[in-house]
Amino acid sequence: MAVTVAREGSIAIVRLDNPPVNAIGLSVRQGLMRALEELADAADLRAVVLTGSDTIFAAGADAREFDADPVAPHLPDILDAIENAPQPWIAALTGAALGGGCELALACRKRIAGPKSTIGLPEVTLGVVPGAGGTQRLPRLVSLAPALDIIANGRTLKANEALDVGLIDEIAEDPLVRARQIAESEDLSAILPLSQRPQVADDQAAVDAAKERAAKRMRGQDAPQRAIELVALSSSMPFAQAMLEERQTFLTLRQGAQAKALRHVFFAERGAKKPAWVEAQPVDVKTVVVIGGGTMGASIAYALDSAGHGVALVETDADAKERASHNVGRLFKDAVKRGLMSEADAAKRQERIQLLVGYDGLPEAELVIEAAFESIEVKREIFSTLDRVMPAHAVLATNTSYLDVNEIAASTSRPERVLGLHFFSPAHIMKLLEIVRADRTSQEALATGFAVGAKLRKIPVLAGVCDGFIGNRILFRYREEADILMMDGSLPWLIDEAMVDFGMAMGPYEVQDLSGLDISYAQRKRRAPTRDPNRRYIPIADRMVEEGRLGKKVGVGWYRYPGGGGSVVDPLLEDLITEEAHFAKVTRRDVSTAEIRERLMLAMINEAADILHQGIAEKAADIDLVMIHGYGFPRWRGGPLHYADTLGAAAILARIEEFEKQGPIMWKPSPLIRELAETGGRFADVKRG
Ligand code: NAD
């Protein structure tokens, strides 16, 4: 039974019992209706306590039901019935009360929360608005401005924050015991249900500010704007009428493209775990050796320490060790500044990370993560040394961005224990982890990679070996196409603007300025000997580097950074680009925003399709996660292959075939796109591996 009812003297306890998270699906809604019916005639009952399991009240609606038509009984009607029941209801929030769970609590006369409870309305993060009165009851409880803040930002509050704004009435060690006491001793029926309270005071300034904030923070998304408009109705429209608006908005958004994309990402994240075919047990990793204490090594070491692993960091000489110590120290300083730990804790933790020069004095460790220079010679040498000095059971991982993990593995006598663990920068913050499976990587090594990823709370994605794995391979093609458009007539800032408009967190040139143009320069030089001489090559970025325009760190790259502050467009760059076009005998033409968007997206999709086709990724959702969590692809568009499914393979193929006429080498349609165009299939249903 998803909902149970127990009579205890003059009160009844209604308990939600739908593991694992008490999602308010059909069975819970039916159970609540039955409970209401059962208690309707109980004349001797003073009050009803509504509660959840020991650790969770209710985590919200069951998003799996969102793709189908709504089925009665509907939550708004249930809440209406709770407010109008013969006995007043009180909520004992034993854990998280989110979305529909929070709305259920709002239909009760009082809310008592446990110290660890969380309460909030995160609906906008799934592309919808609260659909069971949240937009009308919450402002009547906490006033307009706090309600706007919570609903438009999809915020989840800790119990003490919820108490401060008045969303809950009390925090109690055992909220059920306390709610029972209140139910037995207080006259809860004297408290007016929220729906019967008067409209709230108007606050146009708060509404305008919320709209502006949402337009910035959740750029391009519909739900936050609609949510704000609905909350604003609580000061201008009677409850019942506003409820109709809310319901209509909820149902419309729920079927919309943005909500579908956000649901897709939500489920993809939940499904990101060790594939079922990896059956081996992971090595029990307690201590990790990190090789190299630069940007990546330092933040990987910090993340490992935070997750409770012992860490030793190996550098080449005393100076490098000093720099590594500084790099690690900076991360701890930041943590102190952000209030994440005390200075004393930071000092203690930093001391725990053992810094070494060379391999003497290594601790017993079960895993090595190498983050030294991106050079195959350096990596080969490191791995052959590791093979000698590390115990036979140790797993050896490389954080390489592009290099061949098979070649690295071949420099050891244990290629089955070698894999890639590709972190993103900064590694202690970025959630994505590409787990790279080389030809001979064993299940045990893979399982170990996934186990460490889970311990670090990463989103793990399995990738095969190729130049750039999943993310950097797509990025390479995306940038290549951007450079072609720049040469043919556009400008870096116009391309950036078009892609930011599409929803990317940043444009491709802004990103390069941030990471430094020298990184991709080195990679292009590395690829030069194997580059197809017939493939179009745009030398503008090379010239930038050769002229010292390395990006933000030197004050000039694709933009200028006067005084180290914000960026400004550099008119000199237009001359440089025009000059390069002249050398290349290109007649520059008009390139529209629509063309930039279309070509860059289709370049990304075609590469992603090849990656899936070749089994480098096992499923489309994995590629979507990589691009969203590693490269700023808009979550509300669901990732490149979810987006591709909204366009349809046939339409994509037709456009790519058009581009192929002008650029047959880079615009070869992926065989998978052809296949899906013929069968009418979707990327979402393709499985490899
Ligand atoms: P970095 O230059 O900041 O740091 C490299 C560190 O490795 C330096 O401190 C250097 O002294 C040390 N080192 C070099 N050779 C060594 C050796 N033989 N033994 C021990 N230490 C040695 O580089 P980074 O940006 O941290 O990148 C490291 C690796 O991570 C590269 O393979 C890179 O491709 C990859 N990576 C980088 C990023 C990024 O955004 N920076 C992201 C993902 C992966």
Side-chain angles (χ1 to χ4, degrees):
M1 289 278 268
V3 176
T4 59
V5 180
R7 297 285 300 264
E8 293 183 3
S10 61
I11 62 168
I13 310 283
V14 174
R15 190 185 294 274
L16 308 175
D17 185 14
N18 185 29
V21 295
N22 279 346
I24 308 174
L26 180 61
S27 62
V28 168
R29 297 199 304 276
Q30 286 170 335
L32 282 167
M33 265 315 193
R34 264 197 307 273
L36 281 155
E37 280 157 20
E38 185 183 327
L39 298 172
D41 308 323
D44 52 341
L45 211 55
R46 278 181 64 88
V48 177
V49 179
L50 175 63
T51 192
S53 69
D54 288 347
T55 53
I56 197 147
F57 179 72
D62 189 342
R64 283 169 309 188
E65 291 180 359
F66 280 14
D67 285 322
D69 285 338
V71 179
H74 306 297
L75 194 57
D77 301 331
I78 296 169
L79 304 200
D80 199 38
I82 289 176
E83 281 192 333
N84 294 302
Q87 314 86 10
W89 286 43
I90 176 170
L93 309 179
T94 38
L98 305 177
C102 176
E103 290 176 304
L104 253 180
L106 289 171
C108 297
R109 307 295 167 100
K110 271 194 169 187
R111 287 146 294 280
I112 314 302
K116 292 215 171 106
S117 298
T118 51
I119 305 111
L121 291 165
E123 281 83 350
V124 294
T125 63
L126 281 176
V128 293
V129 293
T135 66
Q136 302 308 305
R137 286 194 180 89
L138 186 63
R140 282 172 166 81
L141 181 63
V142 302
S143 85
L144 201 62
L148 284 168
D149 175 39
I150 293 168
I151 293 174
N153 293 309
R155 281 186 57 199
T156 295
L157 310 187
K158 295 196 177 116
N160 55 349
E161 295 170 315
L163 186 65
D164 284 348
V165 294
L167 173 46
I168 58 171
D169 298 272
E170 266 183 51
I171 298 176
E173 209 44 58
D174 187 332
L176 181 56
V177 167
R178 179 68 187 130
R180 256 199 209 110
Q181 261 172 12
I182 295 174
E184 275 162 359
S185 60
E186 288 184 22
D187 181 12
L188 289 170
S189 56
I191 300 172
L192 210 54
L194 290 173
S195 66
Q196 292 170 29
R197 299 202 190 165
Q199 287 171 21
V200 301
D202 185 13
D203 188 348
Q204 193 54 44
V207 173
D208 293 344
K211 288 210 123 189
E212 208 173 300
R213 215 170 32 241
K216 258 198 219 129
R217 270 199 70 227
M218 301 174 97
R219 184 164 41 89
Q221 300 186 47
D222 295 336
Q225 299 293 337
R226 298 292 83 74
I228 293 165
E229 287 155 15
L230 288 167
V231 175
L233 292 183
S234 65
S235 67
S236 62
M237 196 181 261
F239 183 87
Q241 199 183 339
M243 283 296 289
L244 295 178
E245 294 279 334
E246 185 200 73
R247 187 77 185 155
Q248 198 47 53
T249 308
F250 169 75
L251 291 176
T252 308
L253 285 174
R254 186 176 106 131
Q255 294 160 7
Q258 295 192 357
K260 281 189 182 150
L262 288 164
R263 281 204 292 282
H264 160 72
V265 181
F266 173 76
F267 287 120
E269 284 168 350
R270 289 218 314 207
K273 46 182 178 244
K274 182 176 64 120
W277 58 263
V278 179
E279 286 168 345
Q281 285 303 309
V283 174
D284 182 13
V285 175
K286 296 203 165 62
T287 302
V288 184
V289 171
V290 177
I291 309 291
T295 311
M296 293 307 287
S299 57
I300 292 170
Y302 177 91
L304 288 164
D305 173 78
S306 305
H309 290 295
V311 184
L313 191 69
V314 174
E315 264 293 352
T316 43
D317 56 36
D319 284 352
K321 178 179 156 186
E322 190 54 41
R323 280 195 303 274
S325 165
H326 177 78
N327 291 341
V328 174
R330 212 179 33 215
L331 300 175
F332 282 107
K333 268 200 204 98
D334 278 357
V336 172
K337 221 192 291 162
R338 285 168 46 213
L340 299 177
M341 62 182 85
S342 70
E343 230 161 277
D345 280 347
K348 227 186 287 158
R349 283 186 41 183
Q350 192 177 346
E351 211 155 289
R352 273 198 320 231
I353 299 179
Q354 196 186 349
L355 286 174
L356 297 167
V357 173
Y359 297 83
D360 287 343
L362 278 186
E364 272 287 307
E366 299 76 24
L367 174 68
V368 178
I369 301 176
E370 170 276 320
F373 294 141
E374 184 75 343
S375 141
I376 192 70
E377 289 76 28
V378 171
K379 309 244 185 223
R380 267 208 304 249
E381 169 159 4
I382 291 174
F383 275 75
S384 80
T385 309
L386 288 172
D387 195 32
R388 264 189 289 113
V389 300
M390 294 303 294
H393 66 271
V395 171
L396 312 179
T398 172
N399 182 45
T400 181
S401 307
Y402 292 94
L403 300 174
D404 184 346
V405 184
N406 282 317
E407 208 178 327
I408 295 173
S411 56
T412 72
S413 65
R414 56 176 108 175
E416 70 288 348
R417 302 190 86 72
V418 176
L419 79 166
L421 287 180
H422 184 218
F423 290 84
F424 288 71
S425 182
H428 61 299
I429 292 175
M430 296 289 279
K431 286 253 166 250
L432 183 64
L433 177 65
E434 283 182 332
I435 297 186
V436 185
R437 176 192 185 196
D439 293 351
R440 297 185 55 191
T441 306
S442 65
Q443 285 211 5
E444 193 185 8
L446 282 181
T448 307
F450 276 96
V452 169
K455 196 87 188 289
L456 298 178
R457 307 177 75 125
K458 298 292 178 200
I459 295 175
V461 170
L462 186 64
V465 173
C466 66
D467 202 339
F469 314 121
I470 298 174
N472 281 338
R473 176 168 158 183
I474 294 175
L475 180 70
F476 179 84
R477 177 69 189 105
Y478 172 67
R479 284 186 177 167
E480 178 184 54
E481 197 56 29
D483 280 359
I484 288 173
L485 289 172
M486 172 168 68
M487 178 66 110
D488 286 355
S490 192
L491 291 165
W493 42 94
L494 299 180
I495 295 172
D496 279 352
E497 200 178 293
M499 297 322 290
V500 168
D501 239 30
F502 174 79
M504 298 296 288
M506 281 197 254
Y509 294 100
E510 289 175 89
V511 174
Q512 287 181 59
D513 268 4
L514 269 189
S515 49
L517 271 67
D518 40 339
I519 292 186
S520 38
Y521 180 77
Q523 180 208 337
R524 284 194 300 278
K525 293 288 155 213
R526 183 177 58 75
R527 281 170 169 237
T530 53
R531 185 184 305 130
D532 177 351
N534 296 317
R535 197 173 177 111
R536 225 179 135 186
Y537 186 76
I538 308 295
I540 301 174
D542 292 347
R543 180 163 164 199
M544 300 275 292
V545 173
E546 283 148 16
E547 291 186 4
R549 293 169 159 262
L550 300 184
K552 194 167 178 191
K553 61 185 171 190
V554 298
V556 58
W558 298 107
Y559 296 84
R560 280 194 174 275
Y561 299 86
S567 62
V568 293
V569 161
D570 182 357
L572 288 180
L573 195 57
E574 194 167 346
D575 294 344
L576 187 152
I577 293 167
T578 314
E579 206 173 278
E580 285 296 329
H582 171 76
F583 294 149
K585 301 194 173 42
V586 169
T587 310
R588 282 169 62 80
R589 60 180 177 86
D590 280 344
V591 176
S592 70
T593 302
E595 181 180 353
I596 295 169
R597 248 178 76 159
E598 184 184 38
R599 278 184 180 260
L600 293 196
M601 282 320 301
L602 292 184
M604 213 187 246
I605 289 168
N606 201 38
E607 196 67 36
D610 266 343
I611 285 172
L612 184 56
H613 177 67
Q614 294 158 8
I616 298 292
E618 289 203 319
K619 49 188 192 294
D622 282 350
I623 299 177
D624 289 340
L625 285 179
V626 167
M627 297 317 288
I628 289 167
H629 285 285
Y631 300 85
F633 195 97
R635 189 180 173 89
W636 53 274
R637 290 199 191 265
L641 289 183
H642 177 87
Y643 178 65
D645 276 337
T646 67
L647 302 175
I652 290 172
L653 180 63
R655 292 303 292 151
I656 292 182
E657 281 175 341
E658 277 303 306
F659 298 147
E660 193 185 12
K661 290 179 192 153
Q662 304 140 30
I665 295 180
M666 23 213 125
W667 283 108
K668 235 167 101 47
S670 167
L672 180 58
I673 296 181
R674 275 196 198 289
E675 183 189 316
L676 295 178
E678 271 160 30
T679 58
R682 301 181 322 146
F683 288 107
D685 301 321
V686 176
K687 297 273 173 297
R688 295 284 193 263

